[in-house]
Amino acid sequence: MRIEVDGRPATAEQVASTDGHFTAMQVRGGGVQGLGHHLARLDAAHREIFGLPLDGDRVRRLLRHGLAGQDDASVRVVLRDPEHVAVQVGAPRLAPTRPQRLRSVPYLRPFAHLKHLGGFAQAQWARQVGREGYDDALLVGPDGAVAESTIANVGVLGPDGGVLWPDAPHLRGTGLALVEETTPTRTGPVHLGDLRRASGAFLVNSIGIVGVASVDGTALPDATGRVEEIRRRVAALPWEAP
């Protein structure tokens, strides 16, 4: 991975802090889907955390510099303080192709609406359920309300062809925003029992969209066709150069 801060190679001290916020994106053919969503989320988080706006044009310039002409990559833009912008560039990531097996865990991210650094608890839950043979953890409140997975939003498929997003504390991801551009959606309560009785479910983040096969060992209806339809509509959205 290559890391720059303000367009220069990063020092260990500059990337040591786990305080701050970030966005993660996939670059393909030199472009990013939903780049405006990424920049808007960075600006909103910057204002909330540091009390200052973020210069989107500057972030674009530093993105271009960090990519250095690389057409396909995984990129993180990280803000650990009000002034300095870190750009991390690594190999591109692909979404899983196999529907995911989830295990519910009793955890909600603090300040869940922010994509903040230092997410040890969610990473540990992901490791723990991974050792038990699951693909990811499903974060659930004390009343059984479904929120999100450790790294993705959860979309619940309804019989009307729309998508229901759980309203428990969660991050409104950029992938979620792309689905909303192409598919009727709404937000409302979702509990574990509702999820198991749904027409199907999927996970979405900046890496892509994948179906949910089961929750806590209980199989969900096979929604491969509908998930693929949503994936195709999102894939048709434009990719914007920084």
Side-chain angles (χ1 to χ4, degrees):
M1 176 177 288
R2 184 171 66 255
I3 306 177
E4 294 183 349
V5 174
D6 300 332
R8 295 180 292 275
T11 66
E13 184 179 61
Q14 287 175 316
V15 297
S17 173
T18 58
D19 188 22
H21 66 101
F22 72 102
T23 194
M25 61 188 75
Q26 294 296 307
V27 178
R28 298 291 185 272
V32 179
Q33 273 193 320
L35 181 58
H37 296 304
H38 286 283
L39 295 174
R41 183 172 66 187
L42 285 173
D43 179 62
H46 214 67
R47 291 172 187 268
E48 181 169 346
I49 295 171
F50 298 120
L52 294 169
L54 185 65
D55 184 345
D57 289 338
R58 180 175 177 235
V59 172
R60 284 174 176 264
R61 290 195 301 271
L62 293 171
L63 266 172
R64 291 195 297 269
H65 191 277
L67 284 166
Q70 186 171 338
D71 287 339
D72 300 325
S74 293
V75 176
R76 282 190 174 198
V77 178
V78 185
L79 288 302
R80 293 182 171 85
D81 61 54
E83 298 181 359
H84 302 297
V85 180
V87 176
Q88 305 175 5
V89 179
R93 296 182 62 186
L94 299 176
T97 57
R98 175 177 54 79
Q100 301 289 279
R101 298 160 297 177
L102 307 180
R103 178 163 85 76
S104 60
V105 300
Y107 179 71
L108 296 174
R109 293 190 310 111
F111 295 94
H113 64 289
L114 298 171
K115 194 171 180 67
H116 51 74
L117 298 170
F120 168 78
Q122 70 202 68
Q124 179 60 18
W125 277 119
R127 284 188 288 264
Q128 184 169 315
V129 304
R131 289 193 289 267
E132 298 171 6
Y134 295 91
D135 297 303
D136 198 3
L138 183 65
L139 309 186
V140 175
D143 60 349
V146 171
E148 56 193 343
S149 86
T150 66
I151 59 170
N153 288 115
V154 180
V156 182
L157 298 170
D160 60 353
V163 172
L164 172 64
W165 306 116
D167 65 359
H170 66 282
L171 177 74
R172 280 185 53 83
T174 56
L176 178 156
L178 294 177
V179 172
E180 289 187 330
E181 290 185 25
T182 63
T183 303
T185 70
R186 63 184 181 89
T187 301
V190 177
H191 288 75
L192 280 173
D194 302 323
L195 190 58
R196 295 173 183 133
R197 292 188 295 269
S199 301
F202 64 93
L203 302 176
V204 56
N205 59 17
S206 62
I207 301 172
I209 298 170
V210 63
V212 175
S214 63
V215 175
D216 297 334
T218 299
L220 270 59
D222 183 0
T224 302
R226 289 185 60 185
V227 173
E228 183 57 32
E229 181 182 349
I230 294 171
R231 187 187 295 115
R232 284 197 302 270
R233 290 198 294 263
V234 169
L237 293 173
W239 293 73
E240 180 183 354

